[in-house]
Amino acid sequence: MIFEKVKEFVKTKGVPLYRIAQIRQAVYEKGISDWDEATNLPADLRQALKKEVKLLSFDVVKVEHSKRDIVYKALFKLNDGNKIESVLMKPGKTWSVCVSSQAGCPLGCAFCATGKLGFKRHLTDEEISDQVLFWYQFLRKNNLGERVSNIVFMGMGEPLLNYVNVVKAIENLSCTDYLNIGQRHISVSTSGIADKFYNLAQDLPQVNLALSLHNADNEERTRLMPINRKYDLDTLKEKLEEYIARTGREVFIEYTVIEGENNSPAHVRKLGKWINSIKDNYLLHVNLIACNEAVGKAVATHESSVKKFAAALKAMNINVSIRKSLGSDISAACGQLAAKEGKRK
Ligand code: SAH
Ligand code: SF4
C-alpha cells in the first residue's frame, strides 16, 4: 500500500483529517495485517477502508520456513497473475528482507533460476515496498521481533532496469513516517547496468551498491552474464570510479564461486588485478558466495573452495569476506528464486 492512497481516501470521503495519523499508526507501528485489527479506528471507518484500500497490492500464496536456517520465503500473486518471491532472513541479530524488483528477469545469467524464467514485467513501486510491509506484518503477527532492519535488492529481477520504481520504493521504505528503514541499511545489487550507477549516486547516495561480477575476464564473463556485451569490464571500471568519486562510499563486489568455472588461480589473479586497477580501490569490498544449485552452470560449490579463493585474494591485499548462503533447503538462496507453486525437483 502506498500511504498516499489512504490520504486520498480520507480527503474524498470527508473523514476527519486527524484519522490519518491514527491509520498511519495502525499500519506502520502496530503492523496490522487486516483493517479489522485497527482497533484505534471506529468500526464504520474500518469497514470503509477494508472495501476501498488494500493493505497489500498482491495476494499471499504461501510462506515456507527453512528447517536449517532462520529464513522464510513468501510467494506472492500479483494482480495480473504473475508471481514473485521475497525472502525474510536473520543472518545475525537483525532481520533482513530480500526483495524482487521484476517478475522474472531479461538478463539470462547462466547460473540463475530467475534468469531462466525470462522477463515478465517490471514491478510497481508499490509491489516492491509491499514486500517489506508484508514481512513487517509477518514479524508482528508471529511475535518474531520488532522491525525489519535491512533490505537487499537481491530477489528476482535486475533493479537498475526498473530504476524509477526502485528509487520510489526506496524513498517510500525509508520515509520516517512509514517503515523508516535507513538508506544506509538498503543495498541494491546489480549485474552491472553501468549507465545507472551515477544516477544512483545522485538520487540515493546513502544506499549501498553491490556489483555482481563473478568473472574478471571479458569473454568468460559474457558467457556467464550476457549483459557483459553491453557493459564490459572497462565500462564497469569507469562507471565505478565515477560512482566512488561522487559518493565516497564503499562498493561491494559480489563474486559467486562456481566450482570449475571461475575459481582457478588464474581467475583470482585476474580479479585481483582488475580491482587493483580501480582508483580508490580501498573502497571496494569483495563478497564471495558459494554457488547455490540452480540452473545451467550453477553447481553447488563447497565452502573449502571459497575459503581458498578468499585467502588468495587477501594475499593480493584485497578486502574480502565470505557471505553465508541461507535457505537453500527451500530454494530461497541467491539465484534460486523461480516463483514456482509446486514442489521443485
Ligand atoms: N539482478 C541482480 C540482483 C538479483 S540476483 C544481480 O544480478 O545482481 C542476486 C545475487 O544472486 C546476484 O549477485 C547474483 O549474481 C547471485 N546469484 C544468481 N544465481 C546464483 C547462484 N546459483 N548461486 C549463488 N548466487 C547466485
Ligand atoms: Fe537477472 Fe540477476 Fe539472475 Fe542475472 S543473476 S538473471 S541479472 S536476477
Side-chain angles (χ1 to χ4, degrees), residues 21-314:
Q22 293 176 328
I23 300 173
R24 192 198 63 76
Q25 196 186 18
V27 176
Y28 297 108
E29 287 175 35
K30 198 169 171 206
I32 55 162
S33 310
D34 191 301
W35 287 112
D36 289 335
E37 295 162 21
T39 46
N40 60 340
L41 304 175
D44 57 342
L45 179 55
R46 289 202 299 259
Q47 278 311 311
L49 281 163
K50 212 169 160 155
K51 253 198 228 138
E52 308 235 357
V53 186
K54 277 182 82 180
L55 272 168
L56 294 175
S57 52
F58 42 64
D59 294 329
V60 183
V61 180
K62 67 171 174 182
V63 178
E64 290 172 88
H65 180 197
S66 162
K67 293 196 173 56
R68 215 180 43 212
D69 308 312
I70 308 178
V71 176
Y72 298 82
K73 181 174 78 166
L75 176 68
F76 304 126
K77 190 169 165 193
L78 309 177
N79 284 338
D80 61 358
N82 277 307
K83 296 198 186 80
I84 57 162
E85 290 182 319
S86 177
V87 178
L88 172 74
M89 61 202 150
K90 201 176 187 186
K93 285 195 171 69
T94 57
W95 289 101
S96 292
V97 167
C98 175
V99 293
S100 294
S101 55
Q102 298 178 317
C105 178
L107 298 183
C109 299
F111 43 80
C112 171
T114 307
K116 187 94 197 256
L117 293 175
F119 178 61
K120 312 287 185 208
R121 72 164 166 87
H122 292 302
L123 300 187
T124 64
D125 56 332
E126 184 176 40
E127 287 164 341
I128 296 170
S129 56
D130 276 359
Q131 297 170 53
V132 185
L133 182 60
F134 165 76
W135 287 121
Y136 177 63
Q137 296 170 354
F138 181 88
L139 288 177
R140 286 302 171 104
K141 196 162 32 186
N142 295 288
N143 286 319
L144 285 169
E146 281 292 300
R147 61 191 308 261
V148 172
S149 302
N150 297 286
I151 301 171
V152 294
F153 281 77
M154 292 195 181
M156 302 171 77
E158 170 48 56
L160 296 188
L161 288 180
N162 187 14
Y163 185 78
V164 172
N165 291 337
V166 165
V167 169
K168 273 201 252 172
I170 292 175
E171 282 166 349
N172 183 27
L173 289 165
S174 57
C175 178
T176 47
D177 279 344
Y178 307 151
L179 286 176
N180 190 18
I181 298 165
Q183 293 188 0
R184 280 179 183 262
H185 297 272
I186 301 179
S187 303
V188 170
S189 173
T190 177
S191 57
I193 310 301
D195 59 7
K196 287 288 183 295
F197 293 0
Y198 201 74
N199 295 68
L200 199 66
Q202 281 179 309
D203 297 333
L204 300 168
Q206 309 260 333
V207 164
N208 304 299
L209 177 65
L211 167 64
S212 300
L213 198 76
H214 311 318
N215 207 308
D217 176 274
N218 266 321
E219 246 174 63
E220 290 188 22
R221 188 167 188 270
T222 300
R223 260 185 273 138
L224 280 179
M225 309 176 73
I227 189 66
N228 191 66
R229 257 186 222 113
K230 186 158 181 197
Y231 304 108
D232 67 5
L233 291 158
D234 286 341
T235 313
L236 292 173
K237 171 180 143 93
E238 182 194 327
K239 300 292 178 184
L240 271 184
E241 287 178 345
E242 276 177 22
Y243 176 90
I244 291 173
R246 165 88 199 205
T247 60
R249 299 287 315 276
E250 193 175 24
V251 174
F252 299 89
I253 305 294
E254 309 288 307
Y255 197 101
T256 295
V257 180
I258 312 173
E259 193 68 66
E261 181 67 37
N262 64 0
N263 67 333
S264 72
H267 287 107
V268 178
R269 275 197 302 278
K270 273 211 164 158
L271 176 61
K273 212 171 141 197
W274 184 77
I275 288 187
N276 284 331
S277 77
I278 292 175
K279 217 169 130 209
D280 293 328
N281 57 52
Y282 67 94
L283 287 169
L284 297 181
H285 192 110
V286 178
N287 274 327
L288 297 176
I289 315 140
C291 185
N292 298 301
E293 196 182 342
V295 291
K297 288 192 189 285
V299 288
T301 300
H302 202 270
E303 236 184 83
S304 57
S305 286
V306 183
K307 283 190 179 147
K308 227 166 105 186
F309 200 100
L313 270 183
K314 259 191 207 130

